[in-house]
């Protein structure tokens, strides 16, 4: 499978509470960890057993090198990751409170340099039977080009995160659209919080083009809506430490399962398990062996 997306270094700051404007609070701890929605999804997909080719752009700095080495250590193929000369690797500043909730500010750095030519380098893979997994944390032309290059045998899994309105022709090429409650509500135009609302949103969003829609609901699991399928899949219960990257783990594992030939429902179950497991530890690539961290 091919993952096209962002790669960041996450500065994960644990706090008792977030400051109000103008206030300073002391952190409980700081870790630097691998992040970026694309990299997180590639990581999860590799752990789920898929052969993953990652298309991304990092800076020509040590942080970029280190993160790519980490991805490679779990089997992600990084030959299509470009080191953009003179750029810094993307950074994300994440605060996590004791309830596991986070907020994130991303400085895109080299991710902003990912272009159509980078994606063209994966054209030979996308032309064949493969799964393309994309998100929206890189410039739109790169995502659009990847979907455009996906041939008739390719299946497109699109995680609409961070939310952005997409042209109908792109959504029409999507096999599985993965959105969380916030993204589903933004696209649908009504709030999504319950399983029933997610189901209704899923039906409505299918009307925008994708063959199947999966709406994730955090601890409440996910719903899948496709031809002849309307199912709520609960999340395995877990003691939540940090929800960062749970949606990425879900999408990566789901796409990997599809690439390995499993049906949509089984893929959603696996995604829910991986997403849930990720929340039990700090960091977006928490389930992965070999994730390094620096503590202070
Ligand atoms: O989805 C979580 C990710 O969002 C983090 O890893 C951060 O890098 C941002 O991309």
């Amino acid at each position: 499978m091919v993952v096209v997306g962002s790669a960041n270094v996450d500065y994960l700051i644990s706090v008792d509470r977030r400051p109000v404007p103008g206030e300073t609070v002391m952190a409980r701890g700081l870790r630097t960890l691998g992040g970026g929605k694309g990299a997180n999804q590639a990581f999860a997909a590799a752990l789920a057993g898929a052969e993953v080719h990652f298309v991304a752009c990092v800076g020509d700095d040590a942080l970029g090198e280190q993160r790519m080495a980490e991805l490679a250590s779990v089997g992600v193929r990084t030959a299509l990751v470009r080191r953009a000369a003179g750029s810094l690797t993307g950074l994300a500043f994440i605060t996590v409170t004791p309830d596991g909730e986070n907020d994130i500010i991303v400085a895109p750095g080299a991710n902003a340099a990912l272009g159509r030519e980078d994606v063209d380098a994966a054209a030979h893979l996308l032309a064949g039977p493969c799964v393309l997994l994309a998100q929206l944390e890189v410039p739109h032309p790169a995502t659009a080009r990847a979907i455009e290059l996906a041939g008739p045998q390719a299946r497109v899994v699109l995680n609409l995160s961070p939310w952005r309105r997409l042209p109908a022709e792109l959504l029409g090429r999507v096999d599985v659209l993965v959105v969380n409650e916030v993204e589903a509500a933004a696209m649908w135009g009504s709030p999504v919080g319950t399983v029933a609302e997610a189901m209704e949103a899923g039906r409505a969003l299918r009307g925008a083009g994708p063959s199947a829609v999966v709406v994730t609901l955090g601890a409440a699991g996910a719903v899948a809506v496709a031809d002849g399928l309307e199912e709520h899949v609960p999340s395995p219960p877990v003691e939540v430490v940090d929800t960062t990257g749970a949606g990425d783990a879900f999408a990566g594992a789901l796409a990997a399962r599809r690439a390995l030939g499993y049906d949509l429902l089984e893929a959603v179950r696996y995604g829910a398990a991986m997403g849930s497991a990720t929340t039990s530890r700090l960091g977006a690539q928490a389930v992965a062996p070999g994730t390094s961290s620096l503590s202070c």
Side-chain angles (χ1 to χ4, degrees):
M1 66 182 274
V2 177
V3 179
V4 176
S6 57
N8 293 333
V9 174
D10 288 353
Y11 286 86
L12 208 135
I13 305 160
S14 304
V15 290
D16 287 331
R17 62 174 183 83
R18 295 192 175 81
V20 296
E23 188 192 16
T24 301
V25 299
M26 303 304 282
R28 280 177 163 272
L30 166 70
R31 291 183 174 199
T32 57
L33 298 159
K37 296 183 194 305
N40 297 342
Q41 295 184 11
F43 219 112
L47 285 183
E51 182 184 298
V52 181
H53 298 262
F54 187 36
V55 179
C57 204
V58 294
D60 58 352
D61 48 23
L63 288 176
E65 278 307 320
Q66 190 187 342
R67 296 309 154 192
M68 287 314 102
E70 272 182 13
L71 283 184
S73 76
V74 294
V76 175
R77 302 188 181 204
T78 57
L80 299 177
V81 176
R82 180 162 64 90
R83 275 80 177 154
S87 293
L88 294 174
T89 295
L91 299 177
F93 300 91
I94 304 175
T95 51
V96 182
T97 43
D99 58 2
E101 291 302 328
N102 64 71
D103 56 44
I104 304 177
I105 297 173
V106 174
N111 291 301
L114 189 75
R116 292 168 64 90
E117 329 67 51
D118 295 301
V119 177
D120 285 347
H124 60 293
L125 298 166
L126 294 166
C130 74
V131 166
L132 162 67
L133 174 59
Q135 332 72 33
L136 304 181
E137 207 175 37
V138 291
H140 176 69
T143 312
R145 181 63 173 160
I147 295 175
E148 197 179 296
L149 286 175
Q153 294 171 283
R155 280 171 296 169
V156 178
V157 179
L158 180 65
N159 177 210
L160 218 59
S161 182
W163 152 253
R164 184 195 303 161
R165 198 169 295 283
L166 286 187
E169 62 270 22
L170 279 191
L171 288 172
R173 275 293 287 118
V174 172
D175 294 283
V176 186
L177 183 75
V178 182
V179 283
N180 67 17
E181 313 94 308
V182 176
E183 294 142 7
M187 199 173 167
W188 184 36
S190 295
V192 177
T194 64
V195 168
E197 286 165 351
M199 207 67 96
E200 212 182 320
R203 285 184 211 115
L205 300 193
R206 276 193 76 207
S211 311
V213 175
V214 174
V215 182
T216 61
L217 293 166
V223 303
V225 181
D227 260 347
L229 174 77
E230 289 200 356
E231 192 89 19
H232 170 228
V233 175
S235 279
V238 68
E239 198 158 320
V240 174
V241 172
D242 173 18
T243 56
T244 307
D248 298 332
F250 181 103
L254 179 153
R257 255 359 211 199
R258 292 297 280 153
L260 292 167
Y262 291 88
D263 67 21
L264 180 62
L265 189 55
E266 158 56 24
V268 171
R269 286 195 184 114
Y270 197 79
M274 183 80 95
S276 188
T278 298
T279 66
S280 67
R281 290 173 59 190
L282 270 180
Q285 296 169 12
V287 173
T291 303
S292 73
S293 65
L294 299 172
S295 303
C296 77

